[in-house]
C-alpha cells in the first residue's frame, strides 16, 4: 500500500501541483513571520543589551502611591543621592542620567526620527563612556549640542553647523559641538538622539538639579549583586529602588519579545487564514482524486485491502504532499523573512545589524503545519473512499450523495448559522469589551454554518445568474449546469474566496464608518480653527500658548493643561482651560446646567458626573498635587467624546497648584477661519518648529483615522495571500473538472461546439463560481461590519454605519476578474483536447 501511494503521487504530479502551491504559500507565511519576528527581536535584544554594558546597578525613583487626599508622585533623584551612591565601597563611579524628548530638524527644516523616536539626554562631564565621540568635543553651555552619527549622516550635519532643535515648543539653534556613536535601540531603528551638558539638560527637561536615573559602575572584583546590596543599605528604600544591569537587560529583552509577540500573533492570524482557505483546496483536490480512482480503490478492496489500508494510502499521499510543501514553504519563508526586514528600510525604519534567525522551532513549525494541515484535509476524502463497497464503486452507484446525507448536512449548517447569528446579535447588546469574545465566537459559528450550507445556497444564487448567461448561448447554459452539477465542489471552491472577501469587506465597512464618525466628532465638538500639539504627543511649553494668544489674527485661544488630583479618595485628572474662551472653541452638548468655566465653577463630562453622582449645582472638594484643597461647583454636565472629556476648570485656578505646568494642546480660533495662509502665519509665530503640529479639523480627523487606514492597508496586503490561495483553488477545481469531463467535452466538440465556445463555457463556469463566493463574502462582511460597529457605537456617540458601495462593487468586480484569470489555463486545456481521444477515455 505504501508503494501504491507513492506511485499515485508520482502519477498525478500536475494535479497535485496546485495543492502543493496552496500549502506552500500558507507555510511560507507562517515560517516567514517567525523568521522575521525572531530576527528583529534578536537584533533589538542584542542592541539593547549593549546599552547596559556600562551599568552595573541602576538607581531609580520609586513612585509614591496616592494615599487619602495626597496625589501620588515620583520623588526627585537629587545630587545628594548621587553623591551617596558614588561613595559606597563597591562603586567605581556614579553617573546622573537626564532624558527627555528632543526633536532635531534636518537642513530643510523637516523633523528627523518620526517624532516619538526623537530623544535627548545629558553628556556626563568631558568624557562619557556611554557615548564615544567620533568628532568634536563635549558640549558646554546652552549653545552647544551633540547628535548621534546616524542622524548627522542622514541630515548632512558636520561639527560646527547650527542645528535647529526643540524640546517642548520653542526652537533652539545651538552649535553642533560633536558627533558620537551609540548602540541605542531607538537610534538604530531610525530615531535621533541629542545630548547637552548636564546642567543644560536638567534645565531643558524640567529636572533642575535632579536626575531621572543614577547609573553606578562596580569596582573590579565587585559583583553586581554585592554592589546592589551596598546601595540598598546606603540609600533610602522608601524613595528609590535598585536594579542590576543584568536584570535591566533581561527585562528589556522580555519587553522586546512581548512587543514582537503582538506583531507575530497578528501576522500568524493571517497565515492561519491562508492555511484555512488552503484546507478547502486540499480537501477538494483529494476528494476529486479519490473520486477519479474509485474503481482502482475498489479493485484494491476486492483483492484484500482493508478499509484502514485504503484510508492509510490516501493519508500517505497527503503526507508526501505536505512534507514537500512544508520544505518548499520553509525555504520560501526564509526569503520572505529576509525580504520583510529589507522592506522596513524602504519605509524609513532601520533595524540593528544581526544575523537572520532560523530557529529549530521555526523549522519544526513549518514542517508540522504543512504535514498536519494536508493530512487533516485529506482524512475525510480517504475515509469516505474506504467506506464505499467494492461492488458499488465498480458500478459507480456511489457517485451521487444520498438525500439523507444532504439533509443532515443542511440541518447541521442551519443549526450552526442560527447559533452564530444568535450569539452575534446577543453580543451587540453588550458593552464593548464584554461583547468582543462572544462576537468572535458567533462569527466563527456563522462562517462554519454558511460553509456547510453553501451547496444548498449555490443552486438559487447561481440560478439567479441564468438570465445573464443566456446571452452567451449554449456555452452560458452549459456553464450554469456545470456550476451546479457538483454543489459540494462548487461550495468548497467558492468558500475559499468567500472567507477572504468577508474579512476584507468587514474591515472596509468598519474603517469607513469610523472615519465618518471621527469626522462628525471633530466637526461637532470643536469650533476652533486649529489645534496645536507636539508631534510625538508630549506636553507643550506654556510659552507656546502665550505666543499664540498674542499672534496677529487670533481671536480666541485656550491651552488644555492636564493635572492629577484626588477627589473622594480617587485619582481624577483635571483639564485646565481658558475659561473665558473655551466656549468659543468647543461645541459640546450640555445635558444639565450651563457651560460656565471660571473661578470655582467647573464643567464635567457625563461619564465622570455619573460615576460620582454629580449634577448641576453639586459641590465637591478637590485636592491638588501640591496638597492643597479647594471646593468646586459643577456648573454643567456635557456629553464627552474621544476628543474632549473630563473635569474642566480655569487655568487661573489650576496653575498655581502645579510645580511644572505643561499643555497637551492649544486650541486657536482666527478671524479669517481655517486657511493655508492662516496656518502658515501660526507656524511662523512658533518659529517654523518641526516638532509642533498645527492641525485644522480635517487634519485632526485624518491623524486620528490614520491608524485605521494603516491597519486597513496592512489587512488588504495580508489577505491578498488568502485570495491568491483561493485563485489556486479555482484553477485546481476547473482543471480537474475538465479532466473529469473529457468524454463530455469530446462529445460536445464532435456535435459542433467549437474551441472558442468550449473556452467560453469554462470561463463562464469559473466566473459564476467566483461571483457566487464574492456575493457570499460581501453579505457576511457587511453583517460582521454592522455587528462590530454596534460594539463601537456603544462607546462612540457619533458612530454611524457607512456602506462603501463603490469599494464593494470593486470587490465584486475583482472576484469576477479572479474567476476569469483562474480559468485561462483550464479553458485552454479543455479547448485543445483531441475530441476522438477524449470520447474514448474512461
Amino acid at each position: 500500500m505504501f508503494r501504491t501511494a507513492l506511485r499515485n503521487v508520482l502519477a498525478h504530479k500536475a494535479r497535485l501541483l496546485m495543492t502543493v502551491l496552496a500549502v506552500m504559500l500558507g507555510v511560507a507565511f507562517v515560517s516567514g513571520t517567525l523568521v522575521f519576528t525572531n530576527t528583529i527581536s534578536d537584533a533589538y535584544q542584542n542592541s539593547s543589551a549593549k546599552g547596559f554594558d556600562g551599568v552595573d546597578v541602576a538607581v531609580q525613583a520609586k513612585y509614591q502611591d496616592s494615599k487619602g487626599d495626597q496625589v501620588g508622585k515620583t520623588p526627585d533623584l537629587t545630587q545628594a543621592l548621587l553623591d551617596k551612591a558614588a561613595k559606597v565601597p563597591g562603586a567605581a563611579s556614579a553617573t546622573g542620567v537626564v532624558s527627555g524628548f528632543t526633536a532635531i530638524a534636518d537642513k530643510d527644516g523637516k523633523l528627523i526620527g518620526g517624532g516619538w523616536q526623537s530623544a535627548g539626554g545629558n553628556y556626563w562631564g568631558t568624557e562619557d563612556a556611554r557615548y564615544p565621540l567620533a568628532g568634536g568635543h563635549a558640549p558646554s553651555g546652552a549653545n552647544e549640542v551633540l547628535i548621534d552619527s546616524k542622524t548627522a549622516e542622514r541630515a548632512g550635519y558636520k561639527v560646527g553647523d547650527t542645528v535647529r532643535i526643540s524640546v517642548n515648543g520653542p526652537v533652539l539653534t545651538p552649535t553642533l559641538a560633536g558627533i558620537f556613536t551609540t548602540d541605542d535601540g531607538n537610534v538604530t531603528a531610525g530615531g535621533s538622539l541629542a545630548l547637552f551638558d548636564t546642567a543644560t539638560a536638567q534645565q531643558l527637561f524640567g529636572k533642575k538639579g535632579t536626575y531621572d536615573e543614577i547609573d553606578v559602575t562596580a569596582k573590579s572584583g565587585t559583583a553586581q549583586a554585592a554592589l546592589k546590596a551596598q546601595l540598598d543599605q546606603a540609600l533610602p528604600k522608601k524613595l528609590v529602588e535598585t536594579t542590576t544591569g543584568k536584570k535591566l537587560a533581561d527585562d528589556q529583552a522580555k519587553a522586546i519579545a512581548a512587543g514582537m509577540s503582538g506583531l507575530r500573533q497578528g501576522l500568524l492570524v493571517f497565515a492561519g487564514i491562508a492555511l484555512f482557505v488552503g484546507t478547502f483546496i486540499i480537501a477538494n483536490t483529494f476528494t476529486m482524486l479519490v473520486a477519479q480512482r474509485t474503481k482502482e480503490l475498489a479493485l484494491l478492496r476486492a483483492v484484500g485491502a482493508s478499509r484502514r489500508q485504503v484510508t492509510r494510502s490516501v493519508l500517505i499521499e497527503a503526507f508526501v504532499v505536505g512534507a514537500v510543501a512544508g520544505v518548499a514553504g520553509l525555504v520560501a519563508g526564509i526569503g520572505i523573512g529576509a525580504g520583510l526586514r529589507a522592506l522596513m528600510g524602504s519605509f524609513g525604519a532601520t533595524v540593528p545589524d544581526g544575523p537572520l534567525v532560523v530557529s529549530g522551532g521555526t523549522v519544526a513549525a513549518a514542517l508540522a503545519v504543512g504535514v498536519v494541515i494536508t493530512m487533516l484535509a485529506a482524512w475525510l476524502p480517504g475515509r469516505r473512499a474506504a467506506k464505499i463497497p467494492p461492488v458499488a464503486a465498480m458500478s459507480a452507484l456511489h457517485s451521487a450523495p444520498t438525500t439523507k446525507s444532504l439533509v443532515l448536512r443542511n440541518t447541521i449548517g442551519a443549526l450552526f448559522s442560527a447559533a452564530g447569528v444568535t450569539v452575534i446579535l446577543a453580543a451587540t447588546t453588550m458593552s464593548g469589551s464584554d461583547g468582543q469574545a462572544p462576537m468572535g465566537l458567533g462569527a466563527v459559528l456563522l462562517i462554519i454554518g454558511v460553509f456547510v450550507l453553501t451547496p444548498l445556497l449555490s443552486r438559487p444564487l447561481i440560478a439567479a445568474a441564468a438570465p445573464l448567461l443566456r446571452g452567451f448561448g449554449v456555452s452560458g447554459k452549459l456553464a450554469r449546469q456545470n456550476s451546479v452539477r457538483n454543489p459540494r465542489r462548487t461550495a468548497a471552491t467558492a468558500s475559499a474566496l468567500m472567507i477572504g472577501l468577508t474579512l476584507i469587506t468587514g474591515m472596509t465597512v468598519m474603517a469607513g464608518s469610523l472615519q465618518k464618525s471621527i469626522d462628525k466628532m471633530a466637526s461637532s465638538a470643536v469650533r476652533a480653527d486649529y489645534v496645536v500639539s507636539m508631534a510625538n504627543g508630549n506636553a507643550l511649553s506654556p510659552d507656546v500658548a502665550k505666543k499664540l494668544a498674542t499672534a496677529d489674527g487670533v481671536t480666541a485661544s485656550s491651552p488644555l493643561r492636564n493635572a492629577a488630583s484626588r477627589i473622594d479618595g480617587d485619582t481624577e485628572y483635571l483639564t485646565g482651560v481658558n475659561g473665558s474662551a473655551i466656549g468659543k472653541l468647543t461645541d459640546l452638548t450640555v445635558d444639565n446646567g450651563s457651560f460656565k468655566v471660571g473661578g470655582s465653577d467647573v464643567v464635567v463630562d457625563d461619564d465622570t458626573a455619573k460615576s460620582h453622582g454629580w449634577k448641576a449645582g453639586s459641590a465637591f472638594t478637590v485636592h491638588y498635587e501640591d496638597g492643597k484643597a479647594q471646593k468646586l461647583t459643577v456648573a454643567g454636565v456635557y456629553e464627552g467624546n474621544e476628543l474632549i472629556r473630563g473635569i474642566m476648570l480655569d487655568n487661573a485656578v489650576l496653575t498655581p497648584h502645579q510645580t511644572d505646568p505643561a499643555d497637551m494642546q492649544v486650541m486657536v480660533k482666527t478671524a479669517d477661519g481655517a486657511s493655508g495662509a492662516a496656518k502658515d502665519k501660526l507656524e511662523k509665530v512658533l518659529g517654523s518648529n518641526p516638532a509642533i503640529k498645527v492641525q485644522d479639523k480635517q487634519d485632526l480627523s485624518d491623524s486620528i483615522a490614520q491608524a485605521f487606514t494603516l491597519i486597513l492597508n496592512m489587512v488588504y496586503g495580508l489577505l491578498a495571500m488568502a485570495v491568491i490561495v483561493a485563485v489556486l483553488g479555482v484553477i485546481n477545481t476547473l482543471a480537474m473538472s475538465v479532466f473529469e469531463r473529457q468524454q463530455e467535452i469530446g462529445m460536445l466538440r464532435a456535435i459542433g461546439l467549437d474551441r472558442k465556445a468550449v473556452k467560453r463555457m469554462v470561463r463562464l463556469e469559473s466566473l459564476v463560481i467566483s461571483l457566487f463566493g464574492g456575493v457570499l463574502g460581501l453579505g457576511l462582511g457587511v453583517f460582521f461590519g454592522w455587528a462590530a460597529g454596534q460594539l463601537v457605537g456603544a462607546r462612540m456617540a457619533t458612530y454611524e454605519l457607512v456602506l462603501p458601495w463603490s469599494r464593494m462593487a470593486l470587490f465584486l468586480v475583482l472576484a469576477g476578474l479572479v474567476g476569469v484569470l483562474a480559468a485561462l489555463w483550464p479553458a485552454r486545456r479543455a479547448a485543445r483536447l483531441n475530441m476522438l481521444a477524449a470520447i474514448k477515455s474512461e
Side-chain angles (χ1 to χ4, degrees), residues 286-479:
F286 276 93
T287 298
M288 288 185 281
L289 287 174
V290 168
Q292 290 170 10
R293 289 162 39 211
T294 299
K295 289 188 178 181
E296 175 191 325
L297 295 175
L299 286 172
L300 288 173
R301 290 289 312 281
V303 298
S306 65
R307 288 185 177 183
R308 185 173 296 176
Q309 285 177 313
V310 170
T311 303
R312 192 182 303 144
S313 70
V314 175
L315 291 177
I316 289 171
E317 290 183 50
F319 175 82
V320 174
V321 171
V324 171
V327 172
L330 175 62
V331 174
I334 294 172
I336 289 173
L340 286 173
R341 176 175 172 171
L343 190 63
M344 289 184 70
S346 66
F347 292 133
T350 56
V351 179
D353 294 333
L356 202 65
V357 179
V358 184
S359 65
T362 300
V363 175
L367 295 177
V369 166
V371 172
V372 171
I373 291 292
T374 309
M375 292 184 70
L376 284 176
W379 176 75
L380 189 59
R383 184 171 175 272
R384 191 183 296 133
K387 290 174 69 176
I388 300 171
V391 175
M394 290 179 183
S395 60
L397 296 175
H398 68 289
S399 55
T402 64
T403 303
K404 181 181 177 182
S405 69
L406 290 175
V407 170
L408 178 62
R409 177 178 180 131
N410 293 337
T411 302
I412 293 172
L415 290 174
F416 268 91
S417 298
V421 171
T422 302
V423 172
I424 289 173
L425 292 177
T428 60
T429 63
M430 302 177 184
S431 64
S433 56
D434 294 338
Q436 289 175 0
M439 186 163 291
L441 174 62
V444 171
L445 291 174
L446 182 54
I447 287 177
I448 293 173
V450 172
F451 168 66
V452 175
L453 282 176
T454 307
L456 178 66
L457 298 173
S458 64
R459 290 186 179 276
L461 288 178
I462 291 176
L468 297 175
L469 294 174
R470 287 196 192 103
F472 295 95
V474 175
S475 297
K477 183 177 180 180
L478 290 172

Side-chain angles (χ1 to χ4, degrees), residues 219-231:
K219 289 181 179 177
S220 179
T222 302
Q224 289 186 353
L227 178 59
K228 180 182 183 301
Q230 293 174 7
L231 288 167

Side-chain angles (χ1 to χ4, degrees), residues 18-19 22 277-278 280-282 284-285 288 489-498 722-738 741 762-774 814-827:
M18 295 299 174
T19 304
V277 173
F280 295 139
I281 299 171
I282 302 164
N284 227 10
T285 301
M288 288 185 281
R489 182 189 303 167
T490 298
T493 306
S495 295
L497 197 58
M498 175 193 78
V723 174
I724 291 172
V725 175
V727 171
L728 292 175
V730 178
I731 295 173
N732 208 17
T733 298
L734 290 174
M736 302 192 80
S737 177
V738 167
R741 291 167 14 219
V762 176
R763 287 172 186 158
L764 289 173
E765 180 183 348
S766 176
L767 179 63
V768 167
I769 292 173
S770 297
L771 289 176
F772 170 51
L814 290 176
L817 184 62
V818 163
V820 172
L821 294 177
L824 291 178
W825 178 62

Side-chain angles (χ1 to χ4, degrees), residues 621-787:
T621 301
V622 60
H623 294 265
Y624 297 107
E625 63 182 49
D626 63 356
K628 294 181 180 179
Q630 183 179 5
K631 193 171 185 179
L632 300 176
T633 302
V634 177
V637 178
Y638 66 91
E639 292 182 9
N641 55 55
E642 280 67 24
L643 292 176
I644 303 173
R645 63 173 66 247
I647 302 171
M648 287 190 201
L649 72 164
D650 200 305
N651 274 324
V653 176
L654 175 63
T655 304
H657 300 285
Q658 293 184 283
T659 54
D660 187 22
D663 305 325
M664 295 312 297
Q665 55 186 235
V666 181
M667 290 185 170
V668 179
K669 192 169 186 63
T670 60
D672 299 328
S675 65
K679 185 175 182 179
D680 290 342
K681 189 182 293 184
L682 292 178
E683 289 176 343
K684 287 179 181 178
V685 167
L686 299 174
S688 300
N689 193 327
I692 295 181
K693 295 186 295 185
V694 179
Q695 298 174 295
D696 59 21
K697 291 181 185 180
Q698 190 58 51
D699 293 333
L700 193 64
S701 176
D702 291 344
S703 66
I704 297 173
Q706 188 175 9
F708 302 118
T709 304
L710 178 62
I711 292 172
L712 185 64
N713 290 336
M714 287 180 62
V715 168
Y716 284 161
L718 294 170
L719 287 178
M721 180 73 73
V723 174
I724 291 172
V725 175
V727 171
L728 292 175
V730 178
I731 295 173
N732 208 17
T733 298
L734 290 174
M736 302 192 80
S737 177
V738 167
F739 179 83
E740 281 185 346
R741 291 167 14 219
Q742 286 187 81
Q743 268 191 335
E744 175 188 319
I745 293 171
M747 188 67 68
L748 290 170
R749 290 288 315 285
I751 61 175
L753 197 68
D754 61 17
R755 288 187 174 183
K756 285 185 178 180
V758 170
K759 284 184 179 181
R760 191 182 304 121
M761 175 186 72
V762 176
R763 287 172 186 158
L764 289 173
E765 180 183 348
S766 176
L767 179 63
V768 167
I769 292 173
S770 297
L771 289 176
F772 170 51
V775 169
L776 287 180
L778 289 177
L780 283 175
V782 169
F783 178 66
F784 289 148
W786 167 83

Side-chain angles (χ1 to χ4, degrees), residues 33-34 36-49 248-266 268:
T33 295
L34 295 175
F36 171 65
T37 53
N38 287 342
T39 297
I40 300 299
S41 180
D42 184 70
Y44 276 117
Q45 287 177 16
N46 291 337
S47 176
S48 67
L248 285 173
D250 292 343
D251 290 346
Q252 183 75 2
K254 289 178 183 177
I256 292 171
M260 295 306 297
S261 70
L263 175 62
R264 182 186 292 117
Q265 289 171 6
L268 286 176

